[in-house]
Amino acid sequence: MRMNNEQAIHCLKQVLYNVEKIIVGKRHTIELVLMTLACRGHVLIEDVPGVGKTSLVSALARSVNGSFKRIQFTPDIMPSDITGFSAFNPRTGDFEYKAGAVMSQFILADEINRTSPKTQSSLLEVMEENQVTVDGQSYRVPEPFIVLATQNPVEYLGTYPLPEAQVDRFFMRVSLGYPSPAEESHMLERFKEGDPILNLRTAAECEDIIAVQGLVEKIYVSQDINNFIVEIVRFTRQHEDVVLGASPRATLCLFKASQAWALYNERDFVTPDDVIAMAPHVLEHRIILKQEAKLQKRSSKEVVEGALKEVRPTL
C-alpha cells in the first residue's frame, strides 16, 4: 500500500484515539508503544499487576485488525510452547511443524519474568529475526510482528531476572502506572456496562502499519544528529556508576525511535529534541549499574539524564 507522511500520521493518530477508548489517561505510553510498532521493535511493559497492561495490548491488536495471542509465562511452560514443534504424521510418514503461540502478529508475553531463563531464551531469535527455527527449519512470523512483554517488579515472589541479552532486544521500556482519581472514576463509567474492548472497532489495517514502517525509515537524519546519538550512548558506557552501558543495538534503536517521533510530530527530519524525547525510554532499561551505585540508590535514569545534560548537539 502506498502512503504519504500525512496519511501515516493520520493512521497513527486514529489508532491512538481508538486505544484510548480502552486505556484512560495514558496517552504518552500509548504513543511510545506506537513508535515501537512503527520501528518494528518490541516493548517491555514494567509495572504492578492490574493497571491495564493486557488491555493495552489487546486494544492495540484489535485497532489494526491484527492476529493476537497471549502467552501466560509460568515456571512450567516449555520453549516448544512458544516456538512450536515437529510432530510425526503417520499418514505421510513425515514430521510436520505444529505452530507455537509465537505465530501471530501481536504477542503478549505476560509476566515474562515468571518463567525460567531457558524458556525466556526461546524468544531471542524471533525478536531479532522475525522467525523461529525448529529442527533446522526456519519459519517466518506474520507481519507486522511485535512482542509486548509484561514484567512484574523483581521484588515479587517467583520472578527470574531477565538476562541482559533478552532485555537488550526490547526496543523500549514503558510503564503505565496508577491512574489519577479522575481517570479511575472515568474508567468505572466506561466499564460499568461490560468490557468495552469487546466492541472495539478497527481503526487501521496491518497493511497500513507496514506502510508506516517504510515511511519512518525515510525520515532524514543529519550527520550532526548521528553524532549526537552516538555520543549520548557512549556517555552511558563511560559513566563511573555503570558496569554495562547501552549497546550498539541501543544506538540503532535510538536512531529509529527519533525518526518515528519526528514523523509522528509532522516533520520529515529529526531534531535534537526528538532524540532527547526518546532517549530515556530506549536507553534506561539497557544500563546496568555497579553494585556500589545500587546501594547508594542511584539509577539508570540518572545516567541518561546526565548524558542529556552533558552531551550537546553541534548544529
Side-chain angles (χ1 to χ4, degrees):
M1 175 182 176
R2 295 183 65 84
M3 179 182 288
N4 59 35
N5 286 10
E6 184 177 339
Q7 292 170 323
I9 296 163
H10 178 74
C11 173
L12 292 172
K13 293 287 177 69
Q14 288 302 113
V15 174
L16 169 70
Y17 301 148
N18 210 48
V19 175
E20 282 189 317
K21 294 176 182 177
I22 307 300
I23 306 298
V24 180
K26 302 298 177 183
R27 171 166 290 192
H28 190 53
T29 300
I30 301 170
E31 288 175 334
L32 293 174
V33 173
L34 284 174
M35 295 305 100
T36 303
L37 178 60
C39 294
R40 299 185 175 92
H42 309 286
V43 183
L44 181 62
I45 309 173
E46 192 173 64
D47 224 321
V48 295
V51 294
K53 300 185 293 292
T54 303
S55 297
L56 169 62
V57 182
S58 180
L60 178 62
R62 284 175 178 262
S63 294
V64 300
N65 200 23
S67 56
F68 167 62
K69 286 186 180 176
R70 176 180 179 271
I71 308 170
Q72 180 61 56
F73 280 81
T74 56
D76 61 344
I77 196 170
M78 300 296 292
S80 58
D81 297 325
I82 311 298
T83 61
F85 57 92
S86 295
F88 182 73
N89 187 333
R91 289 185 179 181
T92 63
D94 294 324
F95 283 90
E96 297 179 354
Y97 173 65
K98 301 296 182 181
V102 80
M103 283 295 169
S104 191
Q105 291 167 313
F106 290 80
I107 302 296
L108 172 59
D110 210 3
E111 297 183 305
I112 190 174
N113 60 335
R114 285 192 61 217
T115 194
S116 67
K118 179 180 180 180
T119 303
Q120 290 174 9
S121 66
S122 65
L123 287 171
L124 291 177
E125 180 186 9
V126 72
M127 290 176 65
E128 185 69 19
E129 302 175 33
N130 282 19
Q131 68 176 28
V132 294
T133 302
V134 177
D135 294 333
Q137 183 68 41
S138 295
Y139 304 91
R140 301 288 298 179
V141 294
E143 294 185 357
F145 176 75
I146 182 172
V147 174
L148 300 103
T150 69
Q151 178 175 233
N152 291 334
V154 293
E155 295 83 7
Y156 279 43
L157 292 175
T159 60
Y160 300 80
L162 291 180
E164 290 82 358
Q166 183 81 61
V167 172
D168 195 43
R169 278 170 169 76
F170 286 103
F171 189 90
M172 281 192 193
R173 182 182 66 182
V174 302
S175 177
L176 285 167
Y178 289 118
S180 68
E183 291 166 352
E184 202 156 8
S185 178
H186 189 191
M187 179 191 71
L188 294 178
E189 284 293 317
R190 190 170 292 181
F191 280 76
K192 69 179 181 181
E193 296 181 358
D195 190 348
I197 199 168
L198 299 177
N199 299 315
L200 191 66
R201 296 186 177 181
T202 298
E205 296 293 332
C206 288
E207 292 77 12
D208 300 325
I209 298 301
I210 294 172
V212 170
Q213 292 172 340
L215 286 173
V216 166
E217 296 171 347
K218 297 178 181 179
I219 298 299
Y220 175 72
V221 185
S222 70
Q223 187 58 51
D224 288 332
I225 296 296
N226 281 351
N227 295 340
F228 183 44
I229 292 171
V230 169
E231 289 305 314
I232 289 173
V233 175
R234 282 173 55 82
F235 183 96
T236 70
R237 300 170 188 165
Q238 299 168 353
H239 196 282
E240 60 181 7
D241 290 338
V242 173
V243 64
L244 184 64
S247 66
R249 183 187 283 118
T251 309
L252 186 58
C253 289
L254 182 53
F255 178 92
K256 292 179 178 178
S258 302
Q259 288 179 301
W261 193 244
L263 174 65
Y264 183 73
N265 285 278
E266 303 180 14
R267 279 179 279 101
D268 58 3
F269 60 92
V270 173
T271 69
D273 287 341
D274 297 322
V275 179
I276 292 169
M278 294 293 102
H281 310 290
V282 173
L283 300 181
E284 285 179 11
H285 64 288
R286 292 179 157 96
I287 298 171
I288 299 178
L289 299 179
K290 295 178 180 177
Q291 194 61 36
E292 312 90 83
K294 293 180 181 177
L295 292 174
Q296 295 174 10
K297 304 297 183 182
R298 295 175 185 167
S299 66
S300 58
K301 179 179 179 180
E302 294 173 355
V303 175
V304 176
E305 288 175 346
L308 297 177
K309 287 180 181 178
E310 293 294 327
V311 180
R312 309 307 306 171
T314 57
L315 300 178

